[in-house]
Structures are given as structure tokens and as C-alpha cells.
Amino acid sequence: MKILVINPGSTSTKMAVYENETPILLRNIAHSAEELAPFGNITEQQDFRRQLVLDELKNADIPLEFDAVIGRGGLVKPISGGVYEINQRMLDDTLHGCVMHSHACNLGCLLAYEIAAQIPDCRSFIADPGVVDELSPMARISGSPLMPRICIWHALNQRAIARRYARGIGKEYEDLNLIICHLGGGISIAAHEHGRAIDANNALDGEGPFSPERAGSLPAVDLIRLCFSGKYNEEQLLKRIAGKAGLNAHLGTNDMREILKRIQQGDEHAQLIVDAMIYHIAKNIAAESAVLCGNIDAILITGGMAHSDYIISRLRKRIGFLAPVYTFPGEDEMEALALNALAVLQGKREAKVYV
């Protein structure tokens, strides 16, 4: 089976070609600020990015002959986890209906569908988008009926890591209780109970621990007072929640390599802020242990920050008593997308219908 994988990000488009489980092409196409400047919004970049993908295939002498094209899922309405065949309703919701944010991931299903439509007998999919919602009824309830809890999290990477861990110990993901923490620009932490993420935070909007770019959960009254202070408009305040927040707000950068270098050079303030972030990550991981009633097979740590011995060693010290801790540094999204598509093509998994 030949599969094209497309994963759009804010400043790059990752693409890959797989033959069954084997990657035969991997590309990360960077987009400069100057290239993206002419586009008023993310959706307007669709033709630009599609052509770049097609050009990369042409340059690599790979014909436009695929059994499936799978894209990163966008911010449509909440759905259960799994692989979804792209249909018109999903396209409509991505473009007009349920889009909560202007985010590059929304291009994933648009590009996959458009390219697959050019190829005879080619199917188009998304898998485990960030809006996967399998929360328990209690997890949805906040202290205000006006603001029920929602989750937007790293569902694709978390599930891929969960399945990889399960394979490694000779079990199925559905047999395990896991706490998984994705440490990236945003941080998502989820309790996985026998194949369902019954509790997860809204990492996109910064709920949970603060991160390199997100403010995390904030004192509600102080936030309301700030909104009415007259010092900031709505757009500025939203950036103080996601973007110019977290480590970026405290230390002027979201680059963990630079921050860790400062700590090595004796910057006590940088060390205090990073240690505080680790403290809150650990506290939120420990909270998920209550969701699973302490019945935890393992804690899995993934994402870019999982490469840091400084961060992981301090996390282990705080959470190691809960369950065995395993690290899977980086992201596994391209392979995860390819394997999800392959499982459907081989009849091992059934594609769901977006309604």
C-alpha cells in the first residue's frame, strides 16, 4: 500500500510517502514569514501548500499514485478517537462550521481530500485530531454551567505512543491504564482507561500547567479584572494566554535549548521558572492518577521537551512513586498517520464516518 501523509504546521508543512510501514520520502517544507505574508488567513494558504507538496513529489520522481492520502485532523466538532474518511460535512465544518481557531492543522483534511480526488480509487482520511473527546461525564463539569470543560490535546501523538508502548510489552493499548504527558509548546496530559482518554486538558487554550508558550490555568478573578483593566484589548489578552505566555512571557523566549543553556550558566531566575513549570506538570500528572483511582500501568512522557535530561529527571523525582515512567522523546505523528491509514486499507481497522 502506498500512502501520502500531510501534516501542516504554522511555519512548515511536513509530508511523507510510505510503502506499507516503510517511509520512502520524508520532507519538512519550511515557510518563511515573507512567503506567508500575502495570505490573510490559514485557509488562503491551501493552494500554495498543495503545490509545494506536489512539487516535492515531482522532484523525488514519485508519481501521483496512492492508495490513500491522510492529513492531520483539524479543529472540527468533538469526535471520538479513530480514523475518519473525509467527507463533505467534515470539509464544510473545517471551512465554515466548527472552526474555533485559525490553526494550520485545519489544512490537513482539505489538502488530503483535494489531492486524493485527483487519483483514481484513492481514499482520504484524518486520524485522532486534537478535538478527540472521550471525556467522562464528570470531567466535563466545571464550577460554572456557563463554561463546561472541553479538551483539545495531542491525541494523535499520545495514542501513537500508547500503542507503541503496548506493543513493546506484548499487550494492546485497550488493555492498559496509562497517564500520558505530551511536552511541547503546549502541554497535554490525559488519563487513558482501556483505550479511551477519559480526562484530558485543553492544551490549545492553555488549561493545565504552563508551558513554553501557554499560560496554563490562571486565577479566574485576576483574569477577569485584567480583562476590564483597559490595559489590553481582546487580541492582546488572548496572546497572553497562548503565544506570549508561559516561559516566553517570563523569560522572553520559548526556546528550551536557550533556556537550559542559561540555567547551565547559572541563571537562577531561569532555573526557578523552569522548575516551577516542572512542578505544575508533575502536579497535573498526579491529578490524573485520581481519575484512574491509582490503577496505573505506566506514565508515558513524550514531545520535544522529553529530550531534556534536566526536565525528565526532575519529573521522575516527583511522579515516579505513582507508576513506572517511560520517555518517548519527540513526536511520532507522521508514522502514526501512515499506520492509521494502513490499518484501514488492510482491513484491520474500520474508518469512521464524520456526521
Side-chain angles (χ1 to χ4, degrees), residues 5-314:
V5 182
I6 303 173
N7 185 354
S10 58
T11 59
S12 68
T13 300
K14 296 177 183 177
M15 59 170 290
V17 174
Y18 278 74
E19 286 186 354
N20 291 337
E21 298 93 346
T22 304
I24 61 172
L25 177 71
L26 294 169
R27 292 286 187 270
N28 187 4
I29 309 168
H31 311 311
S32 67
E34 291 75 20
E35 285 179 310
L36 299 180
F39 303 105
N41 56 52
I42 291 291
T43 306
E44 292 179 9
Q45 299 175 19
Q46 182 176 345
D47 292 344
F48 165 73
R49 297 208 192 204
R50 182 192 67 248
Q51 192 56 51
L52 290 174
V53 170
L54 296 177
D55 288 345
E56 286 292 334
L57 293 173
K58 183 177 180 180
N59 293 337
D61 292 323
I62 295 176
L64 202 61
E65 298 171 357
F66 297 99
D67 296 285
V69 184
I70 186 166
R72 180 184 180 186
L75 302 177
V76 290
K77 65 184 179 183
I79 54 178
S80 61
V83 185
Y84 286 80
E85 193 129 19
I86 300 172
N87 59 20
Q88 191 59 49
R89 180 163 293 184
M90 184 187 296
L91 297 172
D92 290 342
D93 281 353
T94 300
L95 287 168
H96 310 295
C98 300
V99 175
M100 296 169 284
H101 295 264
S102 179
H103 195 285
C105 65
N106 291 324
L107 290 170
C109 81
L110 302 177
L111 293 172
Y113 182 84
E114 191 174 25
I115 292 175
Q118 303 177 41
I119 306 168
D121 302 318
C122 182
R123 302 171 71 182
S124 58
F125 305 109
I126 65 165
D128 288 328
V131 292
V132 165
D133 184 344
E134 299 165 343
L135 298 184
S136 70
M138 287 182 291
R140 300 182 193 281
I141 298 172
S142 78
S144 170
L146 299 174
M147 292 176 281
R149 289 188 66 243
I150 65 169
C151 58
I152 303 176
W153 55 297
H154 302 90
L156 178 65
N157 191 49
Q158 285 208 21
R159 276 216 160 90
I161 294 304
R163 289 193 173 99
R164 186 199 296 183
Y165 170 74
R167 285 196 303 270
I169 62 171
K171 294 187 176 182
E172 297 294 328
Y173 164 53
E174 291 77 11
D175 297 331
L176 301 172
N177 280 356
L178 303 168
I179 297 173
I180 308 181
C181 176
H182 180 109
L183 299 176
I187 294 173
S188 67
I189 303 170
H192 297 247
E193 184 179 57
H194 299 300
R196 292 179 63 84
I198 61 171
D199 193 90
N201 61 313
N202 183 350
L204 182 65
D205 288 336
E207 181 193 32
F210 71 86
S211 74
E213 298 177 354
R214 309 288 200 276
S217 298
L218 296 169
V221 172
D222 289 341
L223 182 59
I224 291 170
R225 286 174 177 156
L226 196 61
C227 291
F228 287 90
S229 68
K231 296 179 180 179
Y232 305 96
N233 61 33
E234 181 181 5
E235 183 179 355
Q236 290 170 329
L237 281 172
L238 288 173
K239 287 182 179 178
R240 296 283 178 159
I241 297 296
K244 295 181 179 179
L247 299 184
N248 201 8
H250 281 286
L251 301 173
T253 179
N254 60 4
D255 188 335
M256 280 306 306
R257 292 168 297 183
E258 178 185 334
I259 294 170
L260 291 172
K261 186 177 180 181
R262 289 187 201 176
I263 293 174
Q264 290 175 348
Q265 294 172 345
D267 187 330
E268 293 182 0
H269 179 64
Q271 182 171 351
L272 174 63
I273 298 302
V274 171
D275 286 351
M277 180 184 71
I278 295 167
Y279 170 93
H280 287 288
I281 294 168
K283 187 169 67 173
N284 278 264
I285 289 173
E288 297 298 348
S289 70
V291 172
L292 296 172
C293 299
N295 182 19
I296 312 160
D297 292 294
I299 300 171
L300 311 182
I301 311 294
T302 183
M305 286 194 288
H307 287 287
S308 168
D309 290 336
Y310 183 95
I311 292 172
I312 295 302
S313 63
R314 283 157 177 78

